Amino acid sequence: MEKVAIYPGSFDPITNGHVDIIQRSLKIFDKILVAVLENTQKDTLFTISERTALIRSIFSGQDKVEVKSFQGLLVDFARIHGSYIFIRGLRAVSDFEHELQMALMNRKLAPDIETFFMMPSLKYSFLSSSLVKEVYRLGGCISDLVPPLVEEKLGAKLCRTGNNVQIS
Ligand code: ADP
């Protein structure tokens, strides 16, 4: 039977850290279903359709990666798609507490679902979508942290302040 693993997240926007986790997961599972959370309570820079479209473009031509948006409980999404595997990325010890809590809650809701934790390459282990947005806004270089398309879309969304360091 085909092993489909779900990789859930906000992906606002997708970074090279996420891409790294997807590529590593493809070595283990037959298919990765990237589940983009449509969270009406969380302010995102990119809309749900922009976030899903970005991931689809980055993995176009890769038929083992599928991208869908979802609302509500992830375990319900998993049931609909016949998957019992979740993937989450662990960057540092600081991620662990929250991730453990979530994995155990998902296990309580759906005891047959297993969460797999994957570590990214060391060079992406400090990387987060929010840090990328912040650095970009302030004029920093993010070329090696996100796919080129993401950098281009950030340019269209954000007004950069440039390298205007203000010291008082
Ligand atoms: P969420 O809002 O669910 O944390 P994110 O889009 O920030 O969504 O992240 C989705 C998943 O990818 C989470 O498991 C997160 O820990 C992981 N992740 C985010 N950035 C990285 C990275 N640089 N390296 C590895 N995993 C990452």
Side-chain angles (χ1 to χ4, degrees):
M1 207 173 75
E2 197 183 43
K3 275 199 168 52
V4 180
I6 295 178
Y7 182 33
S10 312
F11 304 101
D12 184 41
I14 185 166
T15 68
N16 285 348
H18 297 125
V19 172
D20 182 278
I21 293 292
I22 294 170
Q23 282 164 346
R24 286 174 197 280
S25 305
L26 281 170
K27 293 192 227 155
I28 303 163
F29 304 106
D30 299 317
K31 195 170 149 188
I32 308 302
L33 174 52
V34 183
V36 187
L37 177 65
E38 185 174 2
N39 188 346
T40 45
Q41 266 141 49
K42 199 166 155 185
D43 259 352
T44 54
L45 178 66
F46 292 93
T47 65
I48 184 66
S49 45
E50 288 170 334
R51 284 179 280 141
T52 49
L54 269 175
I55 307 171
R56 279 195 190 114
S57 305
I58 288 156
F59 288 97
S60 66
Q62 171 59 275
D63 59 1
K64 290 182 171 178
V65 178
E66 201 183 336
V67 187
K68 285 186 188 290
S69 60
F70 79 103
Q71 283 180 316
L73 284 176
L74 184 63
V75 292
D76 293 336
F77 177 85
R79 295 243 181 281
I80 294 166
H81 293 91
S83 171
Y84 59 94
I85 303 159
F86 292 161
I87 293 167
R88 294 288 289 175
L90 272 187
R91 286 159 289 190
V93 182
S94 52
D95 277 343
F96 185 74
E97 198 174 336
H98 172 68
E99 293 294 339
L100 179 71
Q101 211 176 19
M102 229 167 35
L104 292 177
M105 177 54 81
N106 280 331
R107 179 177 284 169
K108 181 187 163 359
L109 296 171
D112 54 324
I113 293 179
E114 294 297 340
T115 302
F116 282 74
F117 293 105
M118 309 274 302
M119 283 162 293
S121 162
L122 196 59
K123 61 181 187 274
Y124 301 132
S125 59
F126 62 93
L127 186 58
S128 70
S129 299
S130 43
L131 196 55
V132 160
K133 287 180 280 191
E134 180 84 22
V135 168
Y136 186 84
R137 230 180 237 127
L138 296 172
C141 175
I142 55 157
S143 306
D144 51 348
L145 305 179
V146 295
L149 182 62
V150 172
E151 187 172 5
E152 188 189 314
K153 298 290 175 191
L154 276 169
K157 281 270 179 195
L158 292 176
C159 183
R160 303 186 88 178
T161 52
N163 296 315
N164 303 322
V165 179
Q166 296 187 1
I167 302 167
S168 55

